[in-house]
């Protein structure tokens, strides 16, 4: 198993013969290859493998090495016999020193059960990426990130994903430990309710991109719920990387003041996308690249599960974070991610460039992407006009663009356009008036001392107010016509910080989705 050859693409689903001193096969999945290495097998309890009256847990170890250019997925088969109560996996890999500017080793890990590794995830049992060095699954419990359930007999697979490989290569070791015995009863998961009773039409604040201990976050769901309440949020969306295990981890944490929604951050090698507002318990696969032309299938899967497709931090600079799949399938796009940075400014400008036609436009949102201290839940937060505080109503408001983004619960924005004979339209709507009609745009802002209010059209920023007073409250009005402005949206910005970056405006305190002007 020490010798490796880079797999050559031969055609979907074809297994290539094993070569070299270690048996392995190469399974090609579209344009990216997956390598299946020699695995391990265990004796059954009846054969002396263990059991309540037999010897204790039994472990086997397999080792291997990956070179630069390794396939995206390496599967280690594990033949699991009957009578197993718990399966545990531990792994290590080397981290040699590398020259400055060169990526070192990073190896992610997950698990598939006897139903297999086929794309779509029927056999999916969990994923922890690089956040953990070990995990277990059994009927009544599993490590966060993994799904509790029976350890049935058959071929299971430890999934390794070399995120980056150093020039020296990556040596890895996987140890699997089986514990035999009678399984404990599997508890039924308790999922969050779909709505909060008694909360009618209004503007609701939420953070739809956060991470807990169920992926690479350091906070428990209970801690996240407490931080959401402290941030003045009305709803919080669970979006751990490549797993649905957190969906059933919020019992007792919702209430009349907080709605919990469930989803996933699908973390591919070519960008991340939020599957926002999925039916609880839904898992969406992430094992594909843009060149494989598979994303449309999974976007449809997200919508069938009641969710929205939301590309996350599309211009982020971390490896694999920049969105490469295009925006044809996007329902909403996350243009502000965490504390405001230049890549958010690029995402905002890129999104603004798509608004000119107004037909089939994609609304914007913002989220914290909070993982650990000192990340602030609710920085930023999306404020949605919804018919009630429920999953369907919030998703409808987000999809329609009836929303704005603010850095905190202290910042509030009211924005609308008014035309002749009482015509008016709010955020995400269209003011249907003649092309030469007089239109008055009005923005009211609170909680933003020292900030300016800018009005942005398809020509750019055509109006900027004086700084708001120390109270942080003020209003602006501006007159235009549809023939001069296809849309108008509001931006609330802090003063430029010194030392200033040439051409970079002050950080956002808030921005709205547009109001479109004129007939379609």
């Amino acid at each position: 198993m020490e010798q490796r050859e880079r797999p050559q693409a031969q055609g979907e689903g074809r297994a290539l013969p094993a070569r070299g001193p270690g048996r392995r096969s190469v399974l090609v999945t579209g344009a990216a290859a997956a390598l299946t290495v020699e695995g391990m097998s265990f004796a059954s309890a009846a054969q002396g493998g263990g059991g309540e009256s037999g010897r204790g847990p039994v472990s086997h170890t397999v080792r291997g090495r990956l070179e630069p250019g390794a396939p995206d997925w390496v599967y280690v088969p594990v033949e699991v016999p009957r009578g197993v109560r718990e399966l545990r996996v531990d792994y290590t890999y080397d981290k040699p020193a590398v020259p400055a500017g060169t990526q070192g080793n990073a190896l992610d890990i997950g698990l598939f059960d006897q139903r297999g590794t086929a794309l779509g995830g029927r056999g999916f049992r969990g994923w922890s990426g690089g956040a953990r060095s070990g995990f277990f699954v059994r009927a009544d419990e599993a490590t966060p990130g993994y799904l509790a359930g029976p350890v049935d007999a058959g071929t299971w697979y430890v999934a390794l994903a070399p995120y980056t490989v150093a020039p020296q290569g990556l040596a890895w070791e996987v140890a699997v430990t089986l514990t035999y015995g009678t399984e404990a009863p599997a508890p039924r998961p308790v999922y969050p309710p779909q709505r909060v009773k008694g909360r009618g039409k209004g503007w609701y604040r939420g953070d739809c991109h956060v991470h807990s201990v169920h992926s690479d976050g350091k906070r428990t769901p209970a801690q996240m719920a407490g931080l959401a309440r402290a941030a003045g949020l009305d709803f919080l969306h669970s979006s751990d990387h490549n797993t649905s295990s957190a969906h059933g981890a919020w019992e007792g944490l919702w209430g009349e003041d907080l709605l919990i929604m469930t989803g996933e951050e699908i973390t591919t090698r070519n960008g991340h996308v939020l599957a926002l507002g999925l039916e609880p318990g839904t898992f969406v696969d992430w094992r594909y690249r843009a060149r494989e032309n598979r994303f449309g299938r999974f976007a449809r899967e997200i919508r069938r599960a009641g969710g929205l497709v939301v590309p996350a931090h599309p211009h982020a600079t971390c490896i694999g974070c920049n969105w490469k799949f295009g925006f044809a399938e996007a329902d909403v796009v996350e243009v502000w991610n965490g504390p405001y940075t230049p890549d958010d400014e690029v995402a905002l400008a890129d999104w603004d460039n798509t608004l000119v036609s107004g037909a089939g436009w994609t609304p914007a949102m913002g989220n914290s992407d909070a993982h650990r201290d000192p990340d602030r839940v609710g920085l930023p937060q999306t404020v949605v006009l919804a018919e009630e505080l429920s999953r369907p109503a919030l998703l409808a408001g987000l999809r329609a663009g009836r929303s704005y983004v603010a850095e905190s619960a202290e910042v509030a924005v009211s924005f609308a356009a008014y035309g002749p004979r009482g015509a008016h339209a709010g955020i995400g709507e269209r003011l249907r008036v003649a092309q030469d009609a007089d239109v008055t745009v009005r923005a009211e802002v609170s909680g933003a001392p020292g900030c300016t209010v800018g009005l942005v059209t398809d020509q750019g920023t055509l109006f900027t107010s004086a700084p708001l007073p120390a109270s942080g409250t003020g209003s602006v009005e501006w007159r235009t016509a549809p023939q001069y402005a296809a849309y108008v949206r509001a931006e609330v910005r802090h003063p430029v910080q010194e030392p200033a970056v040439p051409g970079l405006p002050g950080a956002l305190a808030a921005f709205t989705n547009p109001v479109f002007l004129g007939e379609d």
Side-chain angles (χ1 to χ4, degrees), residues 277-446:
L278 298 174
E279 285 288 343
T282 301
F283 163 74
V284 182
D285 212 324
W286 77 100
R287 294 171 295 157
Y288 41 85
R289 294 196 185 211
R291 66 194 181 198
E292 298 173 56
N293 197 30
R294 296 178 184 270
F295 181 65
R297 164 187 169 182
F298 294 98
R300 292 188 293 273
E301 188 174 309
I302 291 168
R303 295 191 187 98
R304 283 195 298 270
L308 300 180
V309 178
V310 185
H313 46 68
H315 290 278
T317 57
C318 50
I319 295 174
C321 297
N322 193 283
W323 183 247
K324 304 289 188 182
F325 293 87
F327 295 91
E329 294 287 355
D331 297 308
V332 184
V333 60
E334 181 190 77
V335 304
W336 183 356
N337 177 276
Y340 201 72
T341 60
D343 59 84
D344 295 313
E345 187 69 31
V346 172
L348 180 70
D350 196 38
W351 166 74
D352 183 82
N353 290 338
T354 70
L355 300 178
V356 176
S357 70
W361 70 288
T362 304
M365 71 181 308
N367 301 296
S368 73
D369 201 359
H371 285 69
R372 59 187 65 82
D373 293 338
D375 298 352
R376 281 176 53 192
V377 173
L379 170 60
Q381 52 197 251
T382 300
V383 190
V384 187
L385 179 61
E387 293 299 318
E388 62 177 1
L389 185 54
S390 70
R391 181 176 73 100
L394 290 170
L395 296 184
L398 288 168
R399 186 185 296 108
R402 297 192 299 268
S403 61
Y404 67 91
V405 181
E407 66 181 358
S408 71
E410 283 71 43
V411 180
V413 180
S414 174
F415 184 65
Y418 303 86
R421 295 182 293 277
H424 67 278
I427 298 170
E429 297 177 335
R430 178 174 288 276
L431 182 65
R432 300 182 184 279
V433 296
Q435 288 296 101
D436 60 352
D438 287 333
V439 171
T440 299
V441 177
R442 180 177 177 83
E444 299 178 357
V445 178
S446 62

Side-chain angles (χ1 to χ4, degrees), residues 422-515:
H424 67 278
I427 298 170
E429 297 177 335
R430 178 174 288 276
L431 182 65
R432 300 182 184 279
V433 296
Q435 288 296 101
D436 60 352
D438 287 333
V439 171
T440 299
V441 177
R442 180 177 177 83
E444 299 178 357
V445 178
S446 62
C451 293
T452 57
V453 181
L455 300 179
V456 184
T457 76
D458 52 306
Q459 298 183 70
T461 302
L462 296 185
F463 174 86
T464 302
S465 74
L468 295 174
S471 66
T473 301
S475 63
V476 299
E477 285 192 357
W478 181 65
R479 295 184 64 187
T480 187
Q483 61 189 353
Y484 301 123
Y487 63 87
V488 185
R489 60 181 184 82
E491 292 183 353
V492 183
R493 289 187 178 266
H494 291 282
V496 175
Q497 296 295 310
E498 299 295 340
V501 177
L504 191 66
L508 282 176
F511 77 93
T512 72
N513 276 298
V515 177

Side-chain angles (χ1 to χ4, degrees), residues 174-250:
V174 170
V176 176
T177 301
L178 301 186
T179 301
Y180 297 83
T182 303
E183 291 182 340
R188 174 170 290 187
V190 178
Y191 294 130
Q194 300 293 291
R195 63 187 293 267
V196 175
K197 295 180 180 179
R199 303 289 297 273
K201 185 174 183 178
W203 289 93
Y204 293 109
R205 295 175 177 267
D207 192 342
C208 292
H209 187 171
V210 296
H211 297 278
S212 74
V213 294
H214 285 261
S215 59
D216 59 345
K218 298 298 184 183
R219 295 161 171 161
T220 64
Q223 291 171 318
M224 300 298 292
L227 291 169
R229 288 182 166 95
L233 302 184
D234 302 294
F235 63 95
L236 184 67
H237 180 264
S238 173
S239 57
D240 280 302
H241 295 283
N242 298 342
T243 184
S244 57
S245 70
H247 292 188
W250 298 88

